[in-house]
Amino acid sequence: MILNVLSVLAALSGGVLAVSFGQVLSVYRNDIQNARRLRSYLEYIQSFRTRDDENTSPKNQALRKAKESAEDVYMENTWLLNQVGEQALFNIFFELEEVKKSLSTDESASDTWDNIEEQIDVIDDEIAHVRIRDAFYRYLGDERPYPKHSEVADK
C-alpha cells in the first residue's frame, strides 16, 4: 500500500517537474528570440547607411517601419535593456527622425549615422545576455534576471 502511494507521488512529482522545466524552456526560447529580434532590427536600421537609393520615399518608409518594429519589441520586453541601454535606444529613435528629415531635404546625415552607430555599440554592451539558468529566475518572477552582455563577454 505504501509502495503504491510512493510510486503515485513520484510519478506526480515527476510530471510536475517535467511541465515546469518545459515552461522554463519556453520562457528561455521567447526571451532569446526577443533579444535577437531587437538586435536584428537595429542591424537592419544600421544597414540603411550604406544604401544609396535614388528614391528616398521607400527608404524613409522602411526606416519608419524598422523603428516602429524595434519600439514594439522593446516595449513588450523592457527587461532587455538596462537604463543606459534604454537611453541609447531612445537616442537612436531621435536620431532616426533627424535622418528622415535629412532624406526629405537631401542633406548629408553622416554625423547622425555616426551617432546611431555609437548608440548601437552601447546597446550591444547593455543588452541582456539570455541564459537558461537565468530563465528559471525569470520564470519565478524576477523582472531582470539576465546580466548585461558586456558582463558575460568579459569573463
Side-chain angles (χ1 to χ4, degrees):
M1 174 75 173
I2 293 178
L3 190 57
N4 289 339
V5 170
L6 289 176
S7 65
V8 167
L9 287 176
L12 181 63
S13 62
V16 168
L17 283 173
V19 168
S20 297
F21 187 66
Q23 290 176 339
V24 169
L25 286 177
S26 177
V27 166
Y28 170 72
R29 278 192 309 269
N30 288 337
D31 289 353
I32 202 163
Q33 180 183 7
N34 288 328
R36 286 177 180 160
R37 280 180 46 213
L38 179 61
R39 183 65 192 115
S40 69
Y41 284 127
L42 294 176
E43 286 175 357
Y44 180 63
I45 288 169
Q46 198 172 13
S47 73
F48 279 97
R49 180 179 191 158
T50 57
R51 295 184 185 180
D52 292 328
D53 299 335
E54 291 291 326
N55 192 352
T56 60
S57 179
K59 188 175 182 179
N60 209 350
Q61 290 175 355
L63 270 173
R64 182 183 52 78
K65 286 181 183 178
K67 175 186 173 259
E68 288 172 359
S69 298
E71 280 179 337
D72 290 343
V73 169
Y74 177 70
M75 290 304 173
E76 292 171 5
N77 306 286
T78 56
W79 55 268
L80 280 171
L81 296 171
N82 61 11
Q83 209 168 13
V84 174
E86 181 178 328
Q87 184 61 41
L89 186 66
F90 290 136
N91 287 343
I92 289 172
F93 295 156
F94 175 75
E95 296 288 344
L96 284 175
E97 293 300 322
E98 297 297 317
V99 167
K100 289 195 295 186
K101 287 177 188 174
S102 69
L103 284 175
S104 63
T105 60
D106 292 331
E107 294 176 6
S108 174
S110 63
D111 290 340
T112 308
W113 280 114
D114 290 340
N115 292 340
I116 289 173
E117 287 181 359
E118 288 174 16
Q119 297 302 319
I120 288 175
D121 290 340
V122 168
I123 288 175
D124 283 343
D125 290 339
E126 301 297 323
I127 197 164
H129 184 79
V130 179
R131 301 182 299 193
I132 195 162
R133 67 178 179 216
D134 298 319
F136 177 74
Y137 297 113
R138 182 152 154 70
Y139 172 71
L140 293 177
D142 190 353
E143 200 167 304
R144 294 185 185 270
Y146 302 114
K148 296 187 308 187
H149 186 69
S150 61
E151 293 174 353
V152 177
D154 292 340
K155 293 181 182 180

